[in-house]
Amino acid sequence: MESPIILQTNRLKLYYGAFEALKGIDMQIPEKQITAFIGPSGCGKTTILRMIGGFEQPTGGEILLHGKDISKLPPAKRPINTVFQKYALFPYLNIYDNIAFGLKMKKVPKEVIREKVKKVLEVVDLEGFEKRKISTLSGGQQQRVAIARAIVNEPEILLLDEPLGALDYKMRKEMQFELKEMHKELGITFIFVTHDQEEALALSDKVVVMADGKIQ
């Protein structure tokens, strides 16, 4: 049975001045699957991710979530969270406060935050690490904290920008397996960007190949 479509783009375009960065992208993302965008640097894959997340405004076309156009919605109003390539963790906060940050901003009650953080720490295999400083963590552990911080908000879609790019080969292989396991446990839609063909094939249910601002 085919998965229903959670996200769709119609004729999605982006111009930087006269330069056409995205050339009318039509695509459909199946719900609860892992979709990978792959292609050389500058092909537009990260730009699409940023548009889905709300960090970049399209020049034309639309982005539909469950059939509703979200292309003008700010990031905070979308049920979508992003894990950036550089992780963007707060070095002065411990693991608990890094993960809880978004929930505190939303004024979620303390005991609810505690429960949610506890649950995601189990998902990313970091129970008992709550008080640790970010600077004491390995790259793989920082990656997991970044994922925990994104999934604690219970998004419908998780966006991952070159999520394993900063890790060495052995750690990348381990994290590929762990991302697959997390995806199974969470049952949400993952969309990730990579230029590593092997990684795209190992992780995803669907691979979108891009070049020159177009889907191939």
Side-chain angles (χ1 to χ4, degrees):
M1 205 175 91
E2 285 210 1
S3 291
I5 299 302
I6 186 170
L7 188 96
Q8 180 171 344
T9 67
N10 297 327
R11 310 297 303 143
L12 201 61
K13 283 179 177 274
L14 180 70
Y15 282 92
Y16 292 120
F19 173 67
E20 194 176 16
L22 288 184
K23 302 170 179 173
I25 300 287
D26 294 323
M27 65 167 184
Q28 296 186 324
I29 303 287
E31 191 170 35
K32 298 190 173 163
Q33 289 193 4
I34 303 182
T35 300
F37 280 84
I38 186 166
S41 290
C43 70
K45 56 191 190 299
T46 296
T47 304
I48 287 185
L49 210 68
R50 288 178 58 77
M51 282 188 177
I52 295 169
F55 302 103
E56 189 97 57
Q57 280 285 310
T59 314
E62 53 187 7
I63 301 166
L64 305 176
L65 180 73
H66 300 302
K68 281 206 184 89
D69 190 0
I70 59 163
S71 43
K72 300 275 193 292
L73 278 185
K77 292 267 194 285
R78 304 182 187 205
I80 296 170
N81 272 82
T82 307
V83 177
F84 297 100
Q85 192 178 358
K86 300 274 192 287
Y87 310 148
L89 299 170
F90 301 117
Y92 53 87
L93 296 180
N94 65 18
I95 288 181
Y96 182 94
D97 290 330
N98 259 285
I99 295 170
F101 185 81
L103 298 174
K104 287 178 180 171
M105 297 299 280
K106 289 179 184 163
K107 308 262 193 294
V108 173
K110 270 191 179 135
E111 52 282 7
V112 178
I113 294 179
R114 206 172 297 123
E115 268 310 298
K116 285 179 184 272
V117 173
K118 184 172 176 287
K119 187 165 164 260
V120 298
L121 280 167
E122 285 166 16
V123 172
V124 299
D125 217 7
L126 286 174
E127 311 99 300
F129 277 66
E130 294 88 325
K131 302 265 192 294
R132 291 273 297 269
K133 281 270 190 291
I134 294 300
S135 57
T136 67
L137 304 181
S138 70
Q141 288 168 330
Q142 288 188 29
Q143 162 72 294
R144 287 185 216 170
V145 175
I147 291 169
R149 188 177 63 181
I151 62 179
V152 81
N153 295 302
E154 293 165 9
E156 289 185 52
I157 298 176
L158 183 66
L159 305 176
L160 301 133
D161 184 11
E162 297 271 7
L164 311 180
L167 306 177
D168 63 38
Y169 181 77
K170 183 172 171 290
M171 184 63 86
R172 281 233 304 270
K173 287 276 163 245
E174 280 172 25
M175 279 305 294
Q176 278 176 18
F177 174 74
E178 292 201 14
L179 274 176
K180 273 280 227 215
E181 290 301 299
M182 277 180 219
H183 177 258
K184 251 193 244 157
E185 190 170 337
L186 292 163
I188 60 177
T189 306
F190 279 25
I191 304 174
F192 82 101
V193 155
T194 181
H195 58 267
D196 183 330
Q197 194 175 338
E198 192 188 333
E199 188 170 286
L201 294 170
L203 267 173
S204 54
D205 303 292
K206 176 178 181 173
V207 178
V208 178
V209 181
M210 290 194 66
D212 300 324
K214 292 198 292 269
I215 290 175
Q216 296 302 294

